[in-house]
Amino acid sequence: MRGKATVERKCNMFENNQGQEFEDLIEWANMQYYERGEAVIQKIPVPWKVERRFNLATNRNEIVSAYPEHKSTVDFGGTAKGRSIWFDAKVTKNRTSFPIKNIKEHQIEFLKRVNEQGGIAFLLVFSQAQNKTWYLDILDLLYFMQTEKRQSLPFTWFDEKCPLVDSHQGIVLDYLSIALRQKRG
C-alpha cells in the first residue's frame, strides 16, 4: 500500500510541470523493472542543436541558442520478455477528455509502424482531474480516430476501453504487466 500512496503523492505534484513529473515516475518504474531483470526500457533523448559563439570578453564559447534538431519519435523504448516496447507519456489537465491534438502525427505513425512490426505500441495517459493513468493501445487509438468524429477521447471511453495503470507488486507505475498481456493484431 505504501507504493500506492507514493504514486498518489507524486501524481499530485503535477501542477507545475505536468509532463516531466509523469516521465520521472515512469523512469522510476523503468528502473524497478531493470533492477528486477524484467525489462530494459529507457527514455529516448531528443537530439538538440546547440549554437555557440566565442565571447572575447570571457575568452570562451557561450551557448547562444538551442533547439531540437528534428522531431523525436516517442518518449520511451526498449525490450521486455523478448518484445520491443515503445510508448509515449501524455498528461492532461482537462476534466472530461483527452485532446487527440496532444498526440503528434509523427508519434501516431511511429507507434503504428512499431505495431506492424510486432512490437508493443501504446500511450500512457495521465489525467490530473481524474488522478488516473490509462494504458492506451495504439490499435484502440487508431480505431477511435477512424470511427469517431470527436477530437478528444472522453474519460468515460478510457474507463470502458483502457486498463488503469497503478502501483502493483512493488512497481510504482506497473504498465509492463498490462503491455505484456495485450493481444497483438
Side-chain angles (χ1 to χ4, degrees), residues 108-128:
I108 294 170
E109 181 61 27
F110 181 83
L111 291 172
K112 180 180 164 190
R113 287 179 182 247
V114 166
N115 182 73
E116 289 169 354
Q117 293 299 317
I120 299 171
F122 59 96
L123 293 107
L124 292 180
V125 179
F126 177 73
S127 161
Q128 286 184 336

Side-chain angles (χ1 to χ4, degrees), residues 87-109:
F87 66 97
D88 205 73
K90 300 293 183 187
V91 176
T92 185
K93 291 181 178 182
N94 287 15
R95 297 199 177 279
T96 60
S97 65
F98 174 73
I100 294 173
K101 70 179 181 181
N102 288 4
I103 310 167
K104 305 296 183 244
E105 202 171 307
H106 71 275
Q107 293 174 322
I108 294 170
E109 181 61 27

